[in-house]
Amino acid sequence: MKIINLSSIFAVALFCCSCHDLDLEPKGILGENELFGNEYGVEKYFTGLYNYLPIEDFNYHYNKNQQGQGNPWETGKFNLANMCGELFSYWGNVHEGGFGYWPYDKIRDINNFIEKFPDYVDNFTEEQVEAIMGEAHFLRAFYYWGLVKRYGGVPIITEVMDPTADLETLKVPRNTEDEVWQFIHDELQLAIDKLPESNDNTRANKYVAAALMSRAMLYAGRIAKYSQYLNLGSNQEAAQKGLVGIKPERAQYYFLESYNAGKLIDNSGKYSLYRKYDDLAYNYAMLFQDHDSPEDIFVKQYDRTSPDNMNLGHSYDAIMVPIDFSSFLGLGGSPHINMMRYFDFPDIVDKDGKPIRFADKADIKDGMEPRLRGTMYFTGDPLRGKTIDIHRGLYLHYDWTAAEANYGSEGAIPNQNGNRILSDTPGKVYTYNGKDYEIAGKHGIILYRWESYSMTGAVVRKYVDESKPISECVVHGSSSPYKVFRLGEIYLNIAESAYELGSPEKKTEAMQYISKIRERAGASPHKMVEKPENLNDLYGYPLDSNLKYIRDERYRELAFENHWWWDLRSWGIVDQEIHNFFPRYLSAYYILDEGKWIYLEEDNGLAKYYTVSKRGYYEPIPLSEIAKNDLLIQNPLW
């Protein structure tokens, strides 16, 4: 395996521009000795590297990463969940091409540190040296994780090369995808071995490295097992050379490494599922608002009080809720009924197919899984001293089945001749028998209102800071941390990897971890089916109903945490699950002649659907990089 430094090719300009003959001593510039020769300098050096880690957080823009947004609210409209249809909005669309992520400048900084730091070890204790080197290897693994899940195989770079060397000697070909995953494994194993069991969840420690190992090796195992069924241009050079895809015989190795890393975390006893409140819906919501949760393994911090208007806060509380609940324009994206149905969800039609009547529109929540209510706001829920109020319209009367409403079609019989009343204006009323009725709820669903109001019948609750005053819900006004790794995900990783390992004992253990997650969620109990249904026809590869349930549990537990897109890709099903995917609304209507509420599942008002093609499994190698290095073979179908 050829391992050299690619980014040094592009450092020449930086070196030339920085070489000025000045008589004055530069002020505020830290040299290598100041950075590498003491603990504070090392921490400062690493801080810059942490800031650019490929974390799909509050500020992640699917076409720009965390940097370069023209407007501070864009990340609410163009986040990863909106891009793949996990949330629904007017703005987000499938973006298979990525944003050209190529962080070899950061990898060069890490390589430089790993090479130079041994010259300064006499200034540190042996324990400090081990921890510092472990942290460096963790950071390098994290950057490669961001690369490999986007592109497959990329050049593995571990040395700082001479930027003045001959250009041809600096060009490096891509390593195979398998080699890159193995490199990440080896880097993380070094980190696990060297890092201490620190209680600081904002920097790498032994269990933070194990968490990344748990996630990354699970992805690698999936790719090894299922990429063989993708038929991603087997006649194309990148596929033939193993730059995309992994041989299936490697799957068990990666699943076992993921399993072992997860068990290391669980067996440590340092973390536990969040169980602070008896109200399980509130408990689940608070898991993402409590800054001192025993479930947190690694968090990314923000600081809205940073000096010089650095804008180190985020805007989640301003852009993810309706306009009444912030001092800015919401609503960046809304949950839809397609995703609600993954959870324990109440019936909205009876055995005859007619809509069930509710005395109050908020009564539908009585049949919902607590975790669903902790993940989404529904009508009647309190927030910041007010109450969520969402419905779509009125019916004069309703004698039909739900199917006869034909998903809200204007041509459907119940919706003709003025029987259905919709609103295009907030606060608009309809007078019936001398009484005024608000046609739509204060917070939606309103025709042609694509911003500030719910478009779907619900609002994201996960990560919304309920204690934050409305006056402080402004762009860059939030400092709540993003939970990069938490124990709930690790339990799901253990469950899936254990089931994929295949022994009866491991399969039983897998369902035990699923039970722990569902018990905390307040969800209905689920046991492993001894003779699971064969679902091989679902995606065209081996799959049973138990494994499908484990996968679905990932969505329920990790909804809107930016896992869904990467899960679908690594399972090899993104082009099937997101194929003419048409999100629908949960629409409440008040029946005027009955004084009752009904709910209908309706097509989205934008007639918007999402589709991912085969080439969506791998992003294209940036053309600008291929122009510099003609040894970089482009990915299939690009």
Side-chain angles (χ1 to χ4, degrees):
M1 189 192 316
K2 190 176 183 181
I3 302 179
I4 44 183
N5 193 301
L6 182 69
S7 61
S8 57
I9 298 175
F10 318 121
V12 177
L14 178 62
F15 274 72
C16 293
C17 292
S18 62
C19 294
H20 298 284
D21 186 14
L22 298 177
D23 294 328
L24 297 176
E25 180 88 21
K27 302 224 182 263
I29 298 176
L30 299 179
E32 182 181 290
N33 184 65
E34 289 82 8
L35 286 172
F36 297 172
N38 64 87
E39 191 173 4
Y40 173 76
V42 170
E43 184 176 344
K44 188 176 183 69
Y45 193 83
F46 281 176
T47 296
L49 295 167
Y50 275 100
N51 285 340
Y52 288 91
L53 285 178
I55 298 170
E56 288 90 23
D57 57 1
F58 302 118
N59 287 333
Y60 181 80
H61 186 302
Y62 67 71
N63 197 22
K64 298 179 182 178
N65 199 5
Q66 283 90 348
Q67 290 76 44
Q69 292 88 347
N71 299 309
W73 59 86
E74 279 192 338
T75 51
K77 299 175 180 179
F78 299 98
N79 58 36
L80 198 60
N82 279 338
M83 182 272 284
C84 63
E86 188 180 11
L87 291 175
F88 179 77
S89 77
Y90 175 77
W91 299 276
N93 290 290
V94 169
H95 187 73
E96 299 173 347
F99 53 86
Y101 183 69
W102 204 251
Y104 280 96
D105 56 337
K106 305 304 176 189
I107 292 171
R108 176 188 172 84
D109 290 341
I110 300 170
N111 292 341
N112 183 55
F113 181 85
I114 291 174
E115 285 189 14
K116 300 291 182 60
F117 180 68
D119 294 339
Y120 300 92
V121 295
D122 290 344
N123 297 349
F124 301 86
T125 67
E126 184 177 347
E127 291 78 10
Q128 287 176 319
V129 170
E130 287 289 286
I132 289 169
M133 289 301 289
E135 192 167 14
H137 286 284
F138 164 81
L139 289 168
R140 189 160 66 179
F142 212 129
Y143 278 103
Y144 273 99
W145 150 250
L147 283 164
V148 72
K149 72 177 183 177
R150 288 174 168 84
Y151 305 116
V154 293
I156 296 176
I157 312 301
T158 63
E159 298 174 0
V160 179
M161 293 164 50
D162 180 1
T164 64
D166 180 73
L167 181 61
E168 291 302 315
T169 66
L170 297 175
K171 293 180 180 180
V172 185
R174 297 170 63 182
N175 289 84
T176 67
E177 180 166 1
D178 190 20
E179 287 173 337
V180 179
W181 287 109
Q182 183 64 54
F183 175 72
I184 292 170
H185 169 276
D186 295 346
E187 290 287 279
L188 290 174
Q189 191 59 59
L190 276 172
I192 291 169
D193 293 342
K194 291 177 178 294
L195 283 164
E197 299 185 11
S198 166
N199 291 323
D200 183 357
N201 62 13
T202 66
R203 290 181 65 178
N205 61 40
K206 181 183 295 292
Y207 302 111
V208 173
L212 180 54
M213 178 83 88
S214 168
R215 183 188 292 180
M217 295 302 101
L218 178 60
Y219 275 44
R222 294 169 178 171
I223 292 166
K225 183 171 182 179
Y226 300 113
S227 64
Q228 61 183 307
Y229 301 100
L230 294 181
N231 191 26
L232 286 180
S234 58
N235 62 337
Q236 298 189 29
E237 190 175 4
Q240 292 172 343
K241 291 188 173 181
L243 307 182
V244 296
I246 305 174
K247 292 181 179 179
E249 55 264 30
R250 293 280 284 165
Q252 289 291 289
Y253 165 77
Y254 285 122
F255 286 135
L256 182 59
E257 292 304 300
S258 173
Y259 172 85
N260 288 338
K263 294 293 286 187
L264 175 66
I265 295 168
D266 190 31
N267 292 338
S268 73
K270 293 178 67 68
Y271 308 97
S272 61
L273 293 178
Y274 190 79
R275 298 174 182 269
K276 191 171 181 179
Y277 301 97
D278 293 335
D279 181 334
L280 295 182
Y282 184 72
N283 183 76
Y284 189 76
M286 288 304 298
L287 160 60
F288 300 92
Q289 299 175 49
D290 192 333
H291 299 181
D292 191 29
S293 167
E295 188 163 333
D296 294 348
I297 300 172
F298 181 49
V299 302
K300 181 177 178 179
Q301 290 187 318
Y302 297 82
D303 183 6
R304 62 184 294 261
T305 62
S306 56
D308 301 321
N309 295 314
M310 290 290 287
N311 290 330
L312 297 182
H314 59 83
S315 307
Y316 196 84
D317 293 299
I319 58 182
M320 292 307 294
V321 294
I323 192 168
D324 267 7
F325 303 98
S326 82
S327 293
F328 189 71
L329 293 174
L331 177 70
S334 300
H336 47 81
I337 192 171
N338 310 59
M339 294 308 190
M340 297 174 199
R341 291 192 185 279
Y342 275 83
F343 298 82
D344 295 344
F345 191 77
D347 292 330
I348 58 175
V349 299
D350 62 20
K351 60 182 178 59
D352 298 318
K354 291 189 174 183
I356 292 172
R357 269 55 175 175
F358 296 90
D360 188 284
K361 61 183 175 181
D363 291 346
I364 190 175
K365 297 183 296 182
D366 295 342
M368 290 182 183
E369 175 183 321
R371 178 173 48 181
L372 173 58
R373 293 192 57 197
T375 300
M376 307 175 195
Y377 288 115
F378 294 90
T379 193
D381 285 334
L383 175 61
R384 297 172 185 155
K386 300 183 180 184
T387 302
I388 300 283
D389 178 24
I390 306 171
H391 65 269
R392 189 171 192 201
L394 310 172
Y395 275 108
L396 295 177
H397 62 276
Y398 198 98
D399 298 328
W400 301 271
T401 64
E404 287 176 282
N406 193 24
Y407 296 110
S409 169
E410 291 183 2
I413 294 174
N415 303 332
Q416 295 179 1
N417 303 318
N419 187 54
R420 182 177 68 162
I421 300 102
L422 304 178
S423 175
D424 59 2
T425 305
K428 191 173 183 178
V429 300
Y430 180 84
T431 303
Y432 178 80
N433 287 344
K435 184 177 179 181
D436 289 342
Y437 294 87
E438 194 168 31
I439 298 173
K442 290 181 176 64
H443 309 117
I445 303 170
I446 302 171
L447 292 170
Y448 319 122
R449 296 285 175 159
W450 302 324
E451 192 169 41
S452 303
Y453 300 89
S454 174
M455 300 178 68
T456 62
V459 175
V460 172
R461 184 178 186 182
K462 184 175 282 189
Y463 273 120
V464 171
D465 187 348
E466 299 180 2
S467 66
K468 196 172 191 63
I470 291 176
S471 61
E472 295 181 13
C473 295
V474 295
V475 291
H476 299 309
S478 296
S479 57
S480 51
Y482 186 82
K483 300 175 187 255
V484 184
F485 297 116
R486 62 182 180 88
L487 189 62
E489 181 206 341
I490 302 305
Y491 278 6
L492 292 165
N493 295 349
I494 294 172
E496 185 178 342
S497 58
Y499 199 88
E500 290 280 19
L501 287 170
S503 71
E505 296 79 15
K506 286 288 190 292
K507 288 183 175 181
T508 298
E509 184 182 18
M511 284 309 187
Q512 290 171 348
Y513 276 96
I514 294 299
S515 294
K516 292 177 183 180
I517 290 288
R518 292 187 64 77
E519 180 186 3
R520 189 271 297 278
S524 58
H526 180 83
K527 293 183 179 180
M528 184 175 71
V529 178
E530 293 300 326
K531 295 182 179 180
E533 181 183 359
N534 184 317
L535 301 178
N536 293 2
D537 292 339
L538 186 60
Y539 302 122
Y541 61 54
L543 181 72
D544 68 37
S545 56
N546 283 332
L547 183 55
K548 179 65 165 59
Y549 194 90
I550 291 171
R551 291 181 176 185
D552 290 347
E553 192 65 32
R554 283 186 71 86
Y555 177 74
R556 291 183 279 268
E557 178 66 19
L558 303 177
F560 316 138
E561 296 179 53
N562 293 331
H563 288 269
W564 197 54
W565 171 250
W566 303 111
D567 282 343
L568 295 180
R569 281 179 53 162
S570 56
W571 286 325
I573 61 175
V574 70
D575 64 316
Q576 299 181 64
E577 284 290 309
I578 309 181
H579 178 73
N580 293 335
F581 175 57
F582 199 81
R584 291 196 167 111
Y585 299 167
L586 175 66
S587 297
Y589 288 93
Y590 187 68
I591 307 176
L592 291 168
D593 68 352
E594 293 184 36
K596 299 288 186 180
W597 291 90
I598 63 171
Y599 279 89
L600 296 173
E601 181 177 339
E602 297 188 318
D603 289 342
N604 71 75
L606 299 176
K608 181 177 180 178
Y609 64 90
Y610 299 76
T611 288
V612 177
S613 69
K614 281 284 188 182
R615 70 179 189 172
Y617 284 100
Y618 291 93
E619 295 175 19
I621 301 295
L623 295 179
S624 60
E625 301 304 325
I626 293 177
K628 299 170 187 175
N629 178 5
D630 55 14
L631 299 183
L632 295 174
I633 298 169
Q634 186 57 279
N635 275 332
L637 310 180
W638 288 101

